[in-house]
Amino acid sequence: MHLAFTKMHGAGNDFVVIDATQSPLQLSPAQLRLLADRHLGVGADQILVVEAAPSPEVDFRYRIFNADGGEVEQCGNGARCFVAYVHGKGLTSKRRIRVQTLAGLIEPELQSDGRVTVDMGAPVFDLPKVPFDATGLSPKPVDAWEQWPLDFGGTTHWISVLSMGNPHAVQRVDDVDAAPVLRDGPLIEHHPRFPKRVNAGFMQIADARHIRLRVWERGAGETLACGTGACAAVVAGLRHGWLQGPVDVQTRGGLLTIAWAGLGQSVHMTGPAAFVFDGVIDLPDLP
């Protein structure tokens, strides 16, 4: 199969974007893993597939596949690249589009400065919907919310648990550069209390409007930026009384700005979306 693609990134979180608006595209997990492979394929944190609108109420459908070949619900940096892609490739003239994802409807908007703002929807705090198994655990209150104990590596870590369309466990650290992301990230991702696995965020607070963040992403490992992770970290910081919005989130790949008005309200994320190159890959048949 000769497969045309576009390489993009949002604050260093990189993607292979594929246009499947004209005909359905079915790629196997092995083919997706090959596309994401940085030595044998194109290389990416996630594969984004642009599909035709499934109903008149939306403009497109958006599917996200992690580097391990698994499909996931949401990707904030990918959503920004998505709207830049469909606008830049002439698939729509709208600057604000309605997009169906596994997690529901999102509405990214291309700004006049080239950055993209995405309405990421309201965060979910209902633990079974994250999902997080809190059986037998006792939370501790931190301001107007709570943290939960998570045992791994021979010690107890206190985490904030929520969903931004995908599950997140956020912990506060003193120095994000020294945080054991590569050691603890996989332990948190695969912890049995998260039946669908989880994204692990490590947040350092610089001041009430600025944080530094690293995220170990479910199915992708540490990435240079994670949009939903930035949203989750800011929401946690606001609920715990540590932050005041809007908040600038410095990731290893760039700066994101997150705004949230409070319970029941959508989180809005603004950040860059960049084209890298177009290409064609000869993709073999793989199971």
Side-chain angles (χ1 to χ4, degrees):
M1 176 196 304
H2 292 283
L3 184 67
F5 66 89
T6 297
K7 182 71 181 285
M8 301 186 70
H9 78 86
N13 192 186
D14 64 335
F15 308 99
V16 169
V17 188
I18 301 168
D19 181 359
T21 58
Q22 300 303 310
S23 60
L25 177 68
Q26 293 293 331
L27 297 177
S28 70
Q31 287 175 316
L32 291 162
R33 289 193 295 270
L34 178 59
L35 277 173
D37 191 294
R38 299 188 184 278
H39 300 286
L40 304 177
V42 180
D45 294 321
Q46 280 95 18
I47 314 299
L48 310 180
V49 180
V50 183
E51 296 186 348
S55 68
E57 292 76 26
V58 299
D59 297 301
F60 296 97
R61 185 184 181 205
Y62 163 44
R63 300 181 70 188
I64 310 135
F65 299 89
N66 276 342
D68 65 359
E71 187 169 8
V72 294
E73 305 92 340
Q74 185 61 284
C75 176
N77 290 322
R80 295 200 316 276
C81 288
F82 184 98
V83 68
Y85 177 89
V86 297
H87 196 271
K89 296 295 185 180
L91 299 179
T92 183
S93 60
K94 298 180 180 178
R95 300 188 74 87
R96 183 181 184 92
I97 59 174
R98 294 169 60 85
V99 183
Q100 186 67 48
T101 74
L102 277 182
L105 185 70
I106 60 171
E107 296 189 42
E109 181 177 5
L110 184 63
Q111 304 294 337
S112 58
D113 63 0
R115 298 202 302 167
V116 178
T117 297
V118 184
D119 180 339
M120 298 295 293
V124 174
F125 305 108
D126 185 10
L127 297 180
K129 292 181 179 179
V130 171
F132 176 68
D133 179 10
T135 304
L137 299 181
S138 297
K140 68 175 182 180
V142 180
D143 202 71
W145 198 27
E146 71 271 334
Q147 288 187 308
W148 292 89
L150 196 70
D151 293 334
F152 61 88
T155 188
T156 298
H157 303 257
W158 290 92
I159 60 169
S160 307
V161 179
L162 68 156
S163 172
M164 282 304 310
N166 53 0
H168 287 270
V170 181
Q171 58 180 310
R172 184 174 178 176
V173 299
D174 294 329
D175 182 356
V176 74
D177 292 324
V181 176
L182 301 184
R183 183 194 71 193
D184 291 356
L187 299 177
I188 300 171
E189 176 191 358
H190 295 281
H191 198 285
R193 290 201 176 269
F194 292 97
K196 292 188 176 180
R197 299 185 293 162
V198 71
N199 301 286
F202 300 77
M203 171 175 61
Q204 174 188 341
I205 296 179
D207 59 50
R209 294 189 184 273
H210 300 84
I211 68 172
R212 299 178 65 212
L213 182 70
R214 293 171 66 186
V215 179
W216 179 274
E217 291 198 48
R218 177 184 60 169
E222 185 179 10
T223 57
L224 291 179
C226 175
T228 58
C231 294
V234 170
V235 167
L238 289 169
R239 289 209 69 186
H240 289 314
W242 301 330
L243 300 174
Q244 297 175 7
V247 178
D248 285 338
V249 181
Q250 185 63 58
T251 72
R252 290 190 161 186
L255 187 70
L256 304 174
T257 301
I258 309 299
W260 183 54
L263 293 176
Q265 302 299 309
S266 291
V267 180
H268 290 87
M269 174 186 60
T270 300
F275 288 88
V276 182
F277 61 86
D278 293 317
V280 177
I281 186 172
D282 188 5
L283 201 61
D285 292 332
L286 295 170

